[in-house]
């Protein structure tokens, strides 16, 4: 189990509120690790195991991005409201409001990876390290790899997916069952799914506003505003010590992660052989060994 939070609350973000929780004591020695979740439109829940870092002196900040979880929900906002820049501003605001801008590490998982990379490009003086976990740098590249992974699914699964995608019947039981085949291979290989992951999954289901606007109905059918988004040409601006993490069976395939390795100077890359998209849940002991080793090196 993850350690108990030492503080929970919300900070103002313009006219809205961002929910956060802190495990450990901020400013007591080691830099805070800010956990930035995926989606866009997921929640912090599936990253809760990171809280165990606090036992070794790294305070951990979890938060829910605007539109989901404990933060302000805005189901009536149109798709144009939800932008990368909005979530960059929210992350900047949180770091400042919590008083950790002079000493922190970012851990960005999935969509959180490019979001944290964008933050790192600005050269914040207090950013000690960057972890980009299971993340795309280019959604066109992500989609090309999704197509390849889908083509390798068992007979009939891709045909079922394509038929329902053409019809827009994403809520059909048949589509959801076919979708689960992909998820069990490339998103989470632990069965049954861990509780923390199920919690985030259900949060998206309960309010899919952000996820549908920016991503789409699921991980592999990206038809939202991110579908043409890429930061590959900007990655050279990152000079923060960087750890890359991915799973051997990850939907974030080696081709998806490669641009980070190619363009960020001295980025270190660890591939988890028994994992897909969530090594922190699929190979927790090795995951924490690798992450702790990186944090100690900063």
């Amino acid at each position: 189990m993850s350690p108990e939070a030492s503080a929970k609350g919300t900070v103002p973000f313009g006219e809205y509120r961002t929910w956060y929780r802190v495990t450990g004591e901020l400013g007591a020695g080691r830099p805070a690790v800010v956990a930035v979740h995926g989606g866009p439109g997921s929640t912090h829940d599936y990253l809760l195991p990171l809280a165990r870092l606090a036992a070794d002196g790294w305070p951990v900040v979890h938060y829910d991005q605007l539109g989901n979880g404990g933060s302000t929900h805005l189901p009536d906002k149109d798709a144009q409201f939800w932008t990368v820049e909005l979530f960059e501003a929210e992350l900047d605001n949180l770091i400042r409001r919590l008083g950790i801008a002079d000493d922190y590490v970012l851990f960005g998982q999935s969509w959180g990876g490019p979001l944290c990379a964008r933050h790192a490009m600005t050269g914040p003086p207090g950013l000690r390290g960057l972890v980009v976990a299971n993340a795309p740098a280019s959604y066109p590249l992500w989609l090309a790899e999704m197509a390849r992974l889908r083509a390798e699914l068992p007979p009939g699964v891709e045909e079922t997916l394509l038929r329902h995608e053409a019809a827009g019947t994403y809520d059909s039981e048949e589509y959801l069952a076919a979708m689960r085949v992909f998820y069990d291979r490339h998103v989470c290989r632990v069965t049954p799914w861990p509780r923390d992951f199920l919690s985030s999954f259900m949060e998206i289901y309960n309010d899919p506003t952000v996820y549908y606007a920016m991503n789409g109905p699921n991980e592999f059918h990206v038809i939202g505003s991110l579908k043409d988004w890429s930061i590959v040409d900007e990655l050279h601006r990152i000079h923060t010590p960087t750890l890359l993490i991915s799973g051997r069976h990850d939907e974030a395939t080696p081709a998806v992660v490669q641009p980070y390795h190619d363009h960020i100077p001295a980025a270190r890359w660890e591939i988890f052989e028994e994992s897909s998209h969530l090594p922190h849940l699929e190979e927790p002991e090795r995951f924490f060994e690798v992450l702790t080793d990186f944090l100690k090196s900063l």
Side-chain angles (χ1 to χ4, degrees):
M1 293 294 292
S2 57
E4 288 301 305
S6 56
K8 292 182 183 179
T10 63
V11 296
F13 172 48
E15 58 190 292
Y16 313 118
R17 309 289 300 186
T18 300
W19 179 93
Y20 71 91
R21 61 169 265 167
V22 177
T23 309
E25 190 180 345
L26 296 178
R30 287 175 156 167
V33 177
V34 182
V36 184
H37 67 69
S42 184
T43 60
H44 77 284
D45 301 82
Y46 77 100
L47 293 177
L48 274 174
L50 291 177
R52 75 184 253 190
L53 292 170
D56 292 319
W58 287 282
V60 179
V61 176
H62 287 88
Y63 76 105
D64 288 333
Q65 292 162 29
L66 189 66
N68 288 89
S71 296
T72 307
H73 286 239
L74 298 162
D76 298 326
K77 292 290 186 185
D78 61 25
Q80 286 66 46
F81 175 80
W82 304 103
T83 64
V84 174
E85 292 73 22
L86 174 74
F87 291 107
E88 285 182 68
E90 183 184 33
L91 177 57
D92 290 345
N93 178 71
L94 179 75
I95 290 165
R96 284 198 320 275
R97 295 271 184 180
L98 293 180
I100 57 175
D102 57 352
D103 196 27
Y104 64 103
V105 173
L106 289 180
F107 179 96
Q109 202 277 336
S110 199
W111 138 259
L115 180 58
C116 290
R118 286 274 297 191
H119 179 90
M121 287 170 195
T122 65
L127 180 61
R128 305 288 172 234
L130 171 66
V131 183
V132 176
N134 323 95
S138 159
Y139 277 86
L141 183 55
W142 171 273
L143 281 168
E145 287 295 283
M146 290 298 127
R148 184 177 66 75
L149 295 177
R150 286 173 54 146
E152 295 171 359
L153 293 173
V157 176
E158 171 70 334
E159 182 275 328
T160 300
L161 293 171
L162 289 170
R163 179 158 40 83
H164 286 285
E165 285 162 5
T169 47
Y170 304 120
D171 289 336
S172 112
E173 289 296 325
E174 190 182 36
Y175 185 75
L176 294 172
M179 185 180 99
R180 181 69 190 248
V181 175
F182 182 95
Y183 276 53
D184 285 343
R185 276 193 178 200
H186 299 300
V187 180
C188 186
R189 293 168 73 85
V190 178
T191 52
W193 282 354
R195 189 183 68 181
D196 292 334
F197 177 53
L198 268 175
S199 296
S200 285
F201 196 80
M202 292 313 296
E203 289 273 8
I204 296 176
Y205 183 81
N206 290 335
D207 186 352
T209 306
V210 183
Y211 193 71
Y212 279 11
M214 295 183 74
N215 191 82
N218 55 50
E219 292 293 280
F220 52 78
H221 190 52
V222 180
I223 53 177
S225 59
L226 287 177
K227 68 181 187 298
D228 301 315
W229 188 64
S230 171
I231 58 169
V232 172
D233 293 343
E234 304 170 89
L235 290 172
H236 66 276
R237 293 165 50 198
I238 297 174
H239 300 287
T240 305
T242 300
L243 171 66
L244 307 174
I245 287 173
S246 64
R248 180 62 66 193
H249 309 281
D250 205 332
E251 57 181 356
T253 64
V256 166
V257 180
Q258 191 69 45
Y260 289 106
H261 195 249
D262 288 347
H263 298 291
I264 300 176
R268 172 180 153 200
W269 187 359
E270 292 282 344
I271 296 178
F272 290 76
E273 295 296 333
E274 305 302 322
S275 294
S276 56
H277 199 51
L278 303 168
H280 68 284
L281 299 177
E282 296 167 292
E283 291 179 72
E285 291 316 312
R286 174 150 183 263
F287 171 85
F288 280 101
E289 192 178 295
V290 167
L291 181 56
T292 302
D293 183 54
F294 173 71
L295 292 172
K296 285 178 176 173
S297 76
L298 299 175

